[in-house]
Amino acid sequence: MKVSNRFTLARALFAPVFYIIFNAPLWLDSSVLKIISACLMIPLLAFFELTDYWDGHYARKNNEVSDFGKIFDPFADVILNLTVFLCAVSAGRMPVLFFVLIFYREFSQNFLRMVAMKKGIAIAARMSGKIKTVFYIFSGFFFITFESFIRFNFSFVPAVVYEILMTVYQWGAPVLFGLCVLFSWGSFIDYIKSFYSIIKESN
């Protein structure tokens, strides 16, 4: 397997592992596992988000760009991001409707990519999609950071400070996830317009 695709595969395989790391302390009601998960989630998520850069870097460096990689890379991104969002749903921080809307958008987008690829057309990344991805990542880290803070259960934090932080989390999380929905569908509409214009020009 090519080096770039190995990074992509690692990102896809990590997604279910992250889901287990997040939920195992809740399933087993273990305070020890809560601390362990709080220590692991942010650095692991950061590392595997970086693989998105590395797979692209090595694909260009080693001339490994392929049709398979063009489909596999966004698929791995979707799996990882949706896993983080699913954790947010299970924690009660992301409305189920938001998750469903993003889920439909992402798999519809991948369907368009496959249709275009079958016609020998590569749909290039667009700025709207990149902005959407930035919001996905930022919202995911916002959620995981606060969840880790709660699991650490810092007893020395003054009550008033803790209440302020929890208020920020309570209101900030749904707002950010709502923006993810808006940017995801906005970028999807942008991709659809681009897709049909490319198809029309190719006929």
Side-chain angles (χ1 to χ4, degrees):
M1 180 179 287
K2 298 176 181 178
V3 174
S4 57
N5 288 337
R6 288 178 182 176
F7 282 117
T8 306
L9 178 62
R11 191 159 66 257
L13 293 178
F14 170 68
V17 174
F18 182 85
Y19 186 79
I20 293 172
I21 291 173
F22 181 88
N23 285 290
L26 307 178
W27 295 335
L28 301 175
D29 193 23
S30 170
S31 57
V32 174
L33 287 179
K34 285 181 180 179
I35 298 299
I36 294 174
S37 67
C39 292
L40 292 176
M41 288 189 295
I42 293 177
L44 282 177
L45 184 59
F47 174 79
F48 282 97
E49 287 288 2
L50 280 173
T51 64
D52 190 23
Y53 164 77
W54 290 330
D55 61 27
H57 170 74
Y58 282 102
R60 292 185 294 271
K61 180 181 178 181
N62 299 335
N63 194 26
E64 297 176 351
V65 177
S66 64
D67 289 345
F68 173 76
K70 291 176 182 178
I71 295 177
F72 190 32
D73 179 59
F75 173 78
D77 291 342
V78 168
I79 291 297
L80 181 56
N81 288 321
L82 287 183
T83 298
V84 176
F85 290 163
L86 186 59
C87 291
V89 171
S90 65
R93 303 298 179 177
M94 182 179 193
V96 176
L97 177 61
F98 288 3
F99 178 83
V100 171
L101 289 173
I102 290 175
F103 178 89
Y104 286 161
R105 182 272 181 205
E106 292 298 340
F107 279 90
S108 297
Q109 173 71 26
N110 278 336
F111 174 75
L112 280 184
R113 287 186 184 278
M114 288 187 289
V115 171
M117 195 68 67
K118 192 172 181 63
K119 291 180 175 289
I121 300 171
I123 300 180
R126 300 179 65 80
M127 182 56 65
S128 59
K130 294 178 180 179
I131 294 174
K132 178 268 299 182
T133 300
V134 169
F135 268 88
Y136 277 16
I137 295 173
F138 180 78
S139 301
F141 275 103
F142 179 89
F143 161 66
I144 293 301
T145 298
F146 275 95
E147 283 298 316
S148 298
F149 174 79
I150 292 172
R151 293 183 184 194
F152 275 123
N153 191 25
F154 294 118
S155 58
F156 59 84
V157 176
V160 63
V161 174
Y162 185 85
E163 288 297 324
I164 291 174
L165 290 174
M166 290 303 99
T167 300
V168 170
Y169 184 30
Q170 178 182 358
W171 290 98
V175 168
L176 286 175
F177 290 136
L179 289 173
C180 285
V181 174
L182 293 177
F183 279 106
S184 68
W185 278 92
S187 68
F188 184 49
I189 293 171
D190 184 32
Y191 273 105
I192 290 176
K193 292 179 179 178
S194 174
F195 173 76
Y196 277 112
S197 63
I198 292 173
I199 293 295
K200 187 177 181 180
E201 291 173 3
S202 66
N203 291 331

